[in-house]
């Protein structure tokens, strides 16, 4: 055997608990009000927990993407607050009659494109005798706009920071629950055909985990159907790497699932059994029931062999 790992299918749709889904939608909505692009398309701003979110096909990968995006958004807040604070100071220090379209765009991109009547402003700015009242009023509007934007950003930072810790805990708990129920074991074995004719490995396999004197747990394996034709046949005197996978842990008998979760990663061993088209059953050597321990075993062998060599 070459490798064993346990993982969930990151592209498979999963059902998110209502409380976690609601929290994610609240975080998503908070980011929108703070001026950050939302991950989920919400059509009705009055109801952040609406049917659009419930219809999304969530996957573990999408959940992790959402979490990382939220973390990135939270980390961006201090820079945005500092930038808006500088904008407030700049508009205060700018003489109102010098508020050209370019200057307004530099100070507040959002005001320039969201609230400024650009055509009227160009006319006003181009007049030889500028309307002081107009420009003073404009400066006041821009100042209020940026100040409100700054206040909303600060509120967004506080709100997102409060929700982020809870979001992190709930997502971690949910992913752990998925791992304990929806994950599968993937075991890659190096299988050699020592005969003078080609042979095929049958789809079923078995991995027996020995958990004590006379006690064991059996994991039924199979070669995935979509790859079976490509990997099953082994030519004469050839070797092939074949990956088997188990069923989801949730499909195991409850007692077996409990034992598998309890002993995965611990100092116990297992053996994989396979059968070929000639009904010959082959088995591997004892292998740690742990990806980390298996890797350690390999490194220990390499280090042992390396220690035999002396520098010349």
């Amino acid at each position: 055997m070459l490798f064993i790992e346990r993982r969930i299918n990151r592209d498979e749709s999963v059902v998110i608990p209502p409380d976690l889904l609601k929290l994610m939608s609240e975080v998503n909505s908070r980011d929108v009000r703070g001026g950050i692009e939302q991950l989920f398309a919400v059509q009705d701003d009055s109801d952040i927990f609406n049917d659009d979110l419930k219809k999304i096909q969530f996957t573990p990968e999408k959940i992790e993407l959402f979490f990382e995006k939220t973390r990135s958004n939270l980390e961006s807040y201090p820079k945005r607050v500092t930038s808006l604070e500088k904008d407030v100071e700049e508009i205060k220090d700018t003489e109102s009659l010098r508020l050209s379209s370019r200057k307004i765009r530099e100070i507040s991109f959002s005001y320039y494109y969201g609230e400024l009547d650009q055509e009227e402003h160009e006319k006003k700015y181009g007049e030889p005798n500028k309307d002081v009242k107009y420009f003073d009023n404009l400066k006041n509007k821009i100042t209020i706009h940026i100040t409100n934007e700054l206040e909303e950003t600060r509120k967004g930072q506080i709100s997102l920071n409060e929700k982020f810790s809870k979001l992190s805990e709930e997502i971690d708990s949910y992913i752990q629950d998925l791992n304990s129920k929806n994950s599968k074991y993937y075991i890659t074995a190096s299988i050699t055909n020592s005969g003078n004719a080609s042979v095929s490995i049958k789809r079923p396999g078995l991995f027996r985990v020995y958990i004590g004197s006379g006690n064991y747990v059996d994991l039924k394996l199979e070669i995935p159907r979509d790859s079976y034709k490509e990997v099953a046949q082994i030519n004469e005197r050839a070797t092939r790497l074949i990956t088997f996978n188990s069923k989801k842990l949730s499909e195991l008998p409850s007692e077996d699932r409990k034992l598998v979760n309890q002993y995965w990663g611990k100092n116990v061993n297992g053996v994989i059994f396979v059968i070929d088209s000639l009904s010959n059953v082959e088995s591997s050597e004892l292998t740690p029931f742990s990806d980390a321990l298996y890797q350690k075993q390999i490194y220990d062998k390499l280090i042992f062999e390396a220690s035999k060599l002396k520098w010349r």
Side-chain angles (χ1 to χ4, degrees), residues 119 143-144 185 230:
E119 185 176 349
T143 302
I144 293 173
Y185 285 96
E230 299 175 9

Side-chain angles (χ1 to χ4, degrees), residues 9 28 36 41 43 45 52 76 104 115 117 128-129 140 151 155 167 176 185 202 208 214 229 243 248 257 272 297 312:
N9 184 347
N28 186 58
I36 301 175
Q43 302 297 326
D45 291 337
D52 289 336
S76 74
I104 296 171
E115 297 187 28
D117 186 333
N129 297 316
N140 185 56
E151 186 62 25
K155 289 180 181 178
L167 180 70
Q176 287 179 16
Y185 285 96
K202 294 185 178 181
R208 174 162 290 186
K229 291 183 179 180
T243 298
K248 288 182 181 179
R257 182 171 66 249
I272 184 173
Q297 188 180 78
R312 296 179 180 178

Side-chain angles (χ1 to χ4, degrees), residues 5 12 70 83-84 94-96 167 230 237 276 281 284:
E5 66 173 335
E12 184 179 62
T70 303
S83 177
L84 287 169
T94 300
E95 184 182 344
S96 61
L167 180 70
E230 299 175 9
R237 300 189 180 281
D276 64 25
V281 176
S284 69

Side-chain angles (χ1 to χ4, degrees), residues 46 54 57 78 82 96 132 155 159 199 211 225 237 270:
S46 65
K54 298 173 186 176
Q57 294 296 307
T82 299
S96 61
V132 176
K155 289 180 181 178
S159 175
V199 68
I211 59 176
R225 189 179 301 275
R237 300 189 180 281

Side-chain angles (χ1 to χ4, degrees), residues 227-288:
S227 64
Y228 179 68
K229 291 183 179 180
E230 299 175 9
V231 304
Q233 183 171 312
I234 306 176
N235 295 329
E236 63 273 17
R237 300 189 180 281
T239 299
R240 184 181 287 277
L241 297 179
I242 300 180
T243 298
F244 296 79
N245 64 255
S246 70
K247 294 181 178 180
K248 288 182 181 179
L249 296 186
S250 59
E251 298 175 19
L252 297 179
S254 59
E255 187 61 29
D256 286 354
R257 182 171 66 249
K258 180 180 178 181
L259 290 171
V260 164
N261 282 325
Q262 179 180 349
Y263 285 99
W264 168 244
K266 302 297 191 300
N267 191 24
V268 296
N269 296 302
V271 174
I272 184 173
F273 297 86
V274 299
I275 185 169
D276 64 25
S277 53
L278 301 177
S279 296
N280 297 314
V281 176
E282 302 293 340
S283 62
S284 69
E285 297 178 351
L286 281 171
T287 302

